[in-house]
Amino acid sequence: MLDIQGSLDQLAWNTQHHYAHIEAQHEFIRIWAVQFELGYSDMRMIQLALQLDKQDALLAKFTAAYQAVYAYEYAFAADGLEGFNAKFGNDMPAYKTAATNLLDVIDEIRA
């Protein structure tokens, strides 16, 4: 498998910190958007490694877990805190579940 340790580490960090940022109701900041975009690149690198290693089931699991978190993060990146709250403000437990699931899949890939 390709060496994707850095991508796994960075995507895990983003997932944890972006959730904490939104949970604390911090306003949108530019670095958040940069991290969001770089996280997408990390996700694609991880997908490539899983494809090359013929880990189809893990690839599907990872992609679904990422897409669940992406929906929340994209709402924040696109429309800021106000837009996120309008769409998902009452759904923070589901966001936490999605983030935890992605972190669990990242740990599974590391193993």
Side-chain angles (χ1 to χ4, degrees):
M1 183 183 287
L2 292 173
D3 182 4
I4 56 169
Q5 186 61 45
S7 291
L8 292 168
D9 291 346
Q10 191 60 41
L11 188 57
W13 187 93
N14 280 358
T15 301
Q16 293 166 334
H17 287 84
H18 288 180
Y19 175 82
H21 185 94
I22 295 170
E23 181 184 43
Q25 293 292 285
H26 292 303
E27 292 294 328
F28 179 83
I29 54 176
R30 183 170 168 15
I31 190 65
W32 198 101
V34 172
Q35 292 166 348
F36 175 71
E37 292 294 332
L38 291 173
Y40 185 81
S41 296
D42 289 324
M43 181 275 298
R44 288 295 191 193
M45 184 59 119
I46 295 164
Q47 283 183 320
L48 176 63
L50 292 172
Q51 288 172 347
L52 290 174
D53 207 33
K54 301 192 186 318
Q55 299 274 342
D56 296 337
L58 192 52
L59 171 63
K61 187 176 182 180
F62 170 72
T63 300
Y66 177 82
Q67 288 174 339
V69 169
Y70 180 89
Y72 295 100
E73 290 193 357
Y74 182 81
F76 185 78
D79 299 317
L81 185 59
E82 185 176 325
F84 176 89
N85 285 337
K87 188 169 185 178
F88 294 117
N90 295 326
D91 207 14
M92 288 302 292
Y95 178 18
K96 180 155 183 75
T97 298
T100 300
N101 184 48
L102 178 56
L103 293 169
D104 289 346
V105 175
I106 288 171
D107 285 343
E108 187 176 340
I109 293 168
R110 283 186 176 127

